[in-house]
Amino acid sequence: MSGRWEGERQSLLGAENYVTKTVQTAWEGFRDFALRDNVLEVAVGLLIAAAFTKVVNSFVSDLLLPPISLFPFIGKNLPEKFAVLRRGPNYDEYGGYNTLKQAADDGAVTLAYGSFLEQVLTFLGLAASLYGVVQFYILVSKDTTIIKHTVRCKYCKKEISAKASRCFMCTSWQDGREDAPRSTS
């Protein structure tokens, strides 16, 4: 009887060793992945980008949009501009809806173009400010590899580096030597 229990005990110890080794291998793999230099750089970059995005959002929402809302054709805060596509049951024929929330609460179908325009302005502000940061970095560090200038291959129309002598897609020469007539000797 004790031989049977001894076999099960050995089986459980073998399973324990297998699970322990598998967990250790998985942990080591995760540690090697998560603590590499470039993963930490990306994590720091994402945190900085999130903070930078908040600054740009505040710039657009608090400084850029209020003067734009003073234009006569806008008349109120840009995010509150909307068009009613289908009226709700409590629609006021003379005044319409005053706010987007009021229309949504009434069940109306709306096109919130003001919110969309605000997001477009936020994106353009973020893109312009990031471009300015990159240009400042290039000016200070003399490193020009951040912005890579490209041209279209005249044969396959793919974007390639402006410095490339051959296209990486169709392998044609970019200096026109393939267009020159060949001598038949």
Side-chain angles (χ1 to χ4, degrees), residues 28-147:
E28 289 171 2
F30 175 75
R31 188 187 65 211
D32 291 343
F33 166 76
L35 298 179
R36 289 191 314 204
D37 290 342
N38 55 353
V39 173
L40 292 175
E41 290 171 1
V42 168
V44 170
L46 286 174
L47 291 173
I48 291 172
F52 188 72
T53 301
K54 287 181 181 179
V55 169
V56 172
N57 283 340
S58 176
F59 170 73
V60 170
S61 302
D62 302 334
L63 297 177
L64 188 63
L65 288 180
I68 289 176
S69 68
L70 294 176
F71 289 133
F73 55 87
I74 293 179
K76 59 181 170 179
N77 289 338
L78 189 60
E80 282 294 318
K81 297 295 279 184
F82 64 96
V84 177
L85 300 178
R86 187 178 68 208
R87 300 173 181 171
N90 300 321
Y91 181 74
D92 182 9
E93 291 293 329
Y94 300 107
Y97 296 113
N98 293 326
T99 65
L100 189 58
K101 182 177 180 342
Q102 182 184 20
D105 290 344
D106 192 32
V109 177
T110 59
L111 179 71
Y113 63 88
S115 177
F116 174 74
L117 289 176
E118 179 186 23
Q119 294 300 322
V120 167
L121 287 173
T122 301
F123 170 75
L124 292 175
L126 182 62
S129 56
L130 283 176
Y131 182 75
V133 167
V134 167
Q135 289 298 327
F136 178 73
Y137 176 78
I138 289 172
L139 179 71
V140 170
S141 70
K142 307 288 189 239
D143 181 16
T144 60
T145 60
I146 292 179
I147 298 176

Side-chain angles (χ1 to χ4, degrees), residues 148-167:
K148 296 182 173 124
H149 299 283
T150 60
V151 295
R152 285 194 179 272
C153 173
K154 56 186 170 182
Y155 301 103
C156 69
K157 307 297 185 217
K158 296 289 182 187
E159 292 285 330
I160 60 172
S161 173
K163 297 177 183 178
S165 56
R166 290 186 87 162
C167 176

